[in-house]
Amino acid sequence: MENFVVSARKYRPTTFDTVVGQEHVTKTLINEIKNNQLAQAFLFNGPRGVGKTTCARILAKEINKESITDESYDFSYNIFELDAASNNSVEDIRMLNEQVRIPPQIGKYKVYIIDEVHMLSAAAFNAFLKTLEEPPHYAIFILATTERHKILPTILSRCQVFTFSRITVGDIVNHLKKIGQAEGIEMEEEALHIIGQKADGALRDALSIFDQMISISGDKKLRYADVVKHLNVLDYDYYFKITDAFQNQDISTALLAFDEILNHGFDGQIFLNGLANHFRDLMVGRTSETLVLLDVPPHVHQKYIDSAKNMSQGFLVNAINIANQFDLNYKQSRNQRLHIELALIKMCYLPSLEKLGEKKNDLNFEQNNTEKPVASAVSSVAGKVVVPTSASTQNVEKPSGNEFEKKAEAIKKVQQDSEKVAKIGSLDDLLSSNIEVVSEPKKEVVAEESGVYQQNNTVSQDALDDCITKFAEASESGIIQSMFKLVKPTIVGNTIEIKLIKQHRVQLEEVRTDFVQFLKRELQNDNLQLEIEEVKKKAEGTKAYTAQEKFEEMAKKNPSLKLLKEKLNLTIH
């Protein structure tokens, strides 16, 4: 029986040209070798399974090729690999420093590859620092790590840092195709896309999944149905079916589809994450600029584009937000099935809420663009059109007899010309036209230069006191209530004057805006102003500490004590 070698080892790149998806790294390394500008320390940083150790081995071999003409020589004796995950002590680094002193017997360079270098202890890093800073001319160090942030800055500053990127699904699919053709395997491209997505940018993971799926088929055929089933991946048709149910506000179909998914053994949170990713793909499929971000198999690519045209951006954003919030709270939910069903129900109501929002916006637009009549009741007096305010019309007494009939005729006549009145668009037009405002009795309405009508009732002291008492009773602050019981503001014209100590002034300043607006509204005077004068609190007497001071303090209250002291010839101690 022939020994099986996993694809990740059998098809491991041996030259820079065969490295997948890291052209920005390999091109730079090739140029450094050609120009003889090699650094003495490299740091390869990136996620797992993207080729860091592979590139380190290729670099170690390439830099020695020029010194030896024998192409069969693999330079194994020139390459030293150290796993820092299990050799992370100071002693391990000291042994490495001792080896560095010995020059290579064959070839030009000795290359030390330290994998997972972030696992070294702080003491080991310090022991390695001097060697890394001033290594022999024949020593080159290649450090590989998945967690660059754990490496000391002093180490980073002595290395050329190369960042390896995640491998795209397209590159993974193309690489798997080459391997499949070399192995004589029949493959469905949709299955390769699923493997590429499941690998999450790691080619080594993709090759491991590829080998597993081939073993499951048993006949060297890679089928989409087998991959979806064994990788616990939902078919795209489920997501499209549920999305259509959302658009039709069909709660029953959405819940039944979710029940079918659960019966197939899928985890609820995996479904929720897949649904959020489905909405994301629909989002990027709406515009031609973002189509490059739509990384799906070819047979569903056009389906995403067509489906995205029928969905609004607002719906997709809200749906992604709901899926994200429910995903965060999934673990804390006691009834996880109901938790996801509630999310589906909310998504079903999104189209109706969106329509309701559109109607509300349309209504607001119409209201903002409709030229409203200036007032509901109009009368004609002395050849002028008079428009009463809403407040004054509530208090105007209804005319009786002939006077009422005259008013009715006048109103009817002016209503016939209401179109002209309705065309008055702004207050400036209103002021420049033959229209005046009728005010309530004892209320003077003035128009400022800005064209805004203001109430300017005369405010009496009694009215002010009653209004302040009302404000204090409504206030939740005990300090405000007690303050207005002790202090009574005075009114001078339109200015309210009040004298307060610092503590009370600070409290009133916090509610100043609400207080002034309350007074303006209740006293029907928009010109009221508040002036607060701070007064100093009466200084209290100094406290008596000595016996003499205490006696004098007591003598002030009872002068007979001094007389008693003199007659008895007493001394204060």
Side-chain angles (χ1 to χ4, degrees), residues 470-490:
K470 187 177 179 180
F471 178 82
E473 292 175 352
S475 175
E476 298 180 355
S477 173
I479 297 179
I480 296 293
Q481 295 174 0
S482 60
M483 176 183 68
F484 282 123
K485 289 180 180 179
L486 299 173
V487 181
K488 295 297 181 184
T490 58

Side-chain angles (χ1 to χ4, degrees), residues 437-475:
V437 178
V438 175
S439 62
E440 294 182 358
K442 298 183 181 180
K443 181 189 292 185
E444 180 185 357
V445 182
V446 298
E448 294 183 347
E449 294 180 357
S450 60
V452 179
Y453 290 109
Q454 293 187 340
Q455 301 178 98
N456 191 17
N457 271 6
T458 302
V459 180
S460 65
Q461 184 65 44
D462 293 338
L464 176 63
D465 293 341
D466 294 340
C467 189
I468 288 178
T469 301
K470 187 177 179 180
F471 178 82
E473 292 175 352
S475 175

Side-chain angles (χ1 to χ4, degrees), residues 295-339:
D295 203 357
V296 295
H299 76 286
V300 294
H301 193 277
Q302 188 60 41
K303 193 172 183 179
Y304 268 100
I305 297 175
D306 296 338
S307 181
K309 293 179 181 177
N310 301 324
M311 298 183 186
S312 66
Q313 186 172 355
F315 169 81
L316 294 173
V317 171
N318 288 325
I320 292 174
N321 185 43
I322 292 174
N324 180 57
Q325 291 298 325
F326 276 78
D327 178 45
L328 294 174
N329 299 325
Y330 181 82
K331 294 297 184 183
Q332 289 74 29
S333 176
R334 294 186 178 181
N335 190 340
Q336 295 178 341
R337 172 169 181 156
L338 179 61
H339 184 73

